[in-house]
Amino acid sequence: MKIRVGFGYDVHQLAEGEEFWLGGIQLDHQKGSVGHSDGDVLIHAICDALLGAANMRDIGYHFPDTSVELKGIDSKILLKKTVEIIAKKGFTIGNIDSTIALQKPKINPHIDKMQKILAEVMGIDIEDIAIKATTTEKLGFIGTEDGVAAYATVLIQK
């Protein structure tokens, strides 16, 4: 068995008037994520980690932000396609560990729902997806609520 590890990171600006999609669900908040797709930083970080682990470049290579067809796309679709891309190379997901860095809103009440949706999209067990949350103690662009970031580490196997 071949085991590989991947790391992903994504960041998006937060702005008023935008929808806020995070971990496959829409959060009620006065600001939302600015992006070519729906701006779901957690899903984007997971996609990058999966692609990196399989040595298949990054999310921008497979789903460019210059593509008219991808404008406003639901990131869950990108995640499903990413899982299909790595599966063509013979890889399956072992587990995912992720962290969302966000000052507000608090996401702990939403983590169970995020895990359930992401597990369904990727076709893996909910126990294989860890989602954690942190703030930056009001420091930097996250602390001033100007942005959101997500980190993901994945293990894949062949």
Side-chain angles (χ1 to χ4, degrees):
M1 177 187 299
K2 181 178 236 179
I3 296 173
R4 300 184 71 165
V5 175
F7 173 76
Y9 168 74
D10 194 35
V11 62
H12 280 270
Q13 178 183 1
L14 293 176
E16 291 186 23
E18 299 286 337
E19 292 181 348
F20 196 14
W21 287 90
L22 190 60
I25 66 171
Q26 188 174 12
L27 298 178
D28 186 28
H29 192 54
Q30 73 269 16
K31 289 184 176 182
S33 198
V34 178
H36 184 71
S37 65
D38 63 9
D40 190 322
V41 294
L42 179 58
I43 288 180
H44 297 172
I46 292 170
C47 287
D48 260 349
L50 291 168
L51 292 166
N55 194 20
M56 299 183 77
R57 308 221 18 199
D58 59 37
I59 190 172
Y61 176 80
H62 293 275
F63 312 109
D65 64 4
T66 55
S67 169
V68 175
E69 294 84 24
L70 299 175
K71 179 70 179 153
I73 194 167
D74 182 336
S75 291
K76 292 187 293 292
I77 295 169
L78 302 181
L79 180 58
K80 185 165 184 63
K81 288 183 179 191
T82 298
V83 172
E84 291 168 359
I85 289 168
I86 69 164
K88 285 180 185 172
K89 228 176 156 180
F91 289 105
T92 59
I93 299 168
N95 75 300
I96 297 169
D97 183 26
S98 63
T99 302
I100 300 166
L102 179 65
Q103 199 65 42
K104 286 182 185 174
K106 296 295 182 191
I107 63 155
N108 273 330
H110 308 287
I111 288 176
D112 289 343
K113 186 174 180 182
M114 289 179 188
Q115 287 174 304
K116 182 178 184 299
I117 287 171
L118 295 176
E120 288 173 4
V121 170
M122 292 184 282
I124 65 174
D125 192 77
I126 197 167
E127 292 296 317
D128 294 328
I129 303 171
I131 301 172
K132 303 177 302 295
T134 190
T135 68
T136 58
E137 301 297 331
K138 301 188 179 181
L139 297 173
F141 68 88
I142 293 169
T144 58
E145 299 178 44
D146 291 324
V148 57
Y151 306 84
T153 302
V154 303
L155 181 131
I156 61 174
Q157 57 221 0
K158 188 184 240 185

